Amino acid sequence: MMTKANSSNNPNQDQKTISSASASHEAVDMTRRMVCGGISGMIAKTATNPLERIKMLSQTGEHGGKGNSGKGGTGNVSIINLYKSIIRNEGILGLWAGNGANLLRVFPAKAVVFSCNDKYRSFFYNITNTPSDQPLPAYLSFLAGGMSGMTATAATYPLDLARGRISGKLKMEGKQRHYNGIIRTILVTAKEEGVLALYKGVTPTVLGAMPYEGIKFGTVALMENLFPAEKKINPETGKLEKPSIWRKLCFGGMGGVMAGIITYPN
């Protein structure tokens, strides 16, 4: 009986139990953030893919339209004409060409972005001795977001390359699409150009992710600092109520707009 009592009151054993529970809780929380971040990214990209497709065709000039120049497909083509051209050549689903590759890229990319952002923010909280109940300075939020963006971009770049090759060229009548599907695109690229071709342009893309994600997360942090959420205690649970989802949506949208404007055409 004495042995059992001593074992149950062993401070070292209690400390190990607490540490194990804390590590388990952290792992579950990290997994939840990764899954939620990945799913939210997939929903957002699917909803905006038609605009993304039109933007990429405008940038690459591979739209087959005459535009204002009247020669070839390199002239300026309006958004409406591009929309009609996609519908005419590829049907309504053409507006979502490359979306499958986009989703395969977005889920891991956004999962890494949000999970790494939390890790980097926690790191900055520790080294600056900032209290956990206080907001992190906007410039550190910018740095954490930028670093997480670079990490995610480096990890998922081949998928991003495949997405760009699929959605950046318009299918012409009577011709078969050269790049069709993310797996086929990666295999064709590796076969025709070598494995290293899957990382063409990775350096500027990774560097471009730094200001984009940094500005996005930094803007959200700035808005949080300028307009702090009102702390309300739930009378039933006695805990602080979470900020409104519309508030998060508004701040997140403003962060995305600012990042897109400043870093365009990244």
Side-chain angles (χ1 to χ4, degrees), residues 108-121 124 140-156 206 209-218:
K110 293 303 179 183
V112 173
V113 163
F114 282 100
S115 59
C116 286
N117 182 63
D118 289 338
K119 285 294 184 182
Y120 291 137
R121 285 176 61 86
F124 288 133
L140 288 180
S141 294
F142 168 87
L143 189 57
M147 292 170 64
S148 64
M150 294 177 71
T151 303
T153 300
T156 62
V206 169
M210 173 70 180
Y212 180 81
E213 295 294 344
I215 292 171
K216 189 165 65 175
F217 282 103

Side-chain angles (χ1 to χ4, degrees), residues 4 45 59 98 100 106 118 120 134 136-137 153 166 168 201 213 217 241 264-265:
K4 290 184 177 180
K45 283 296 181 182
Q59 290 177 341
V106 164
D118 289 338
Y120 291 137
Q134 297 294 322
L136 200 64
T153 300
I166 293 171
E213 295 294 344
F217 282 103
E241 293 183 351
Y264 184 83

Side-chain angles (χ1 to χ4, degrees), residues 12 37-38 48 76 81 87 96 118 132 139 169 210 212 254:
N12 292 332
T48 60
N76 296 324
N81 287 336
I87 298 296
W96 281 271
D118 289 338
S132 58
Y139 74 93
K169 186 179 286 287
M210 173 70 180
Y212 180 81
M254 292 180 66

Side-chain angles (χ1 to χ4, degrees), residues 7 10 37 78 101 116 122 125 159 181 201:
S7 176
N10 189 334
S78 69
C116 286
S122 178
Y125 265 108
L159 297 174

Side-chain angles (χ1 to χ4, degrees), residues 215-230 243-259:
I215 292 171
K216 189 165 65 175
F217 282 103
T219 300
V220 173
L222 181 61
M223 297 302 294
E224 292 280 1
N225 293 343
L226 293 176
F227 306 100
E230 184 179 354
S244 168
I245 188 174
W246 299 110
R247 183 174 184 273
K248 292 184 177 181
L249 182 65
C250 181
F251 287 178
M254 292 180 66
V257 169
M258 290 299 296

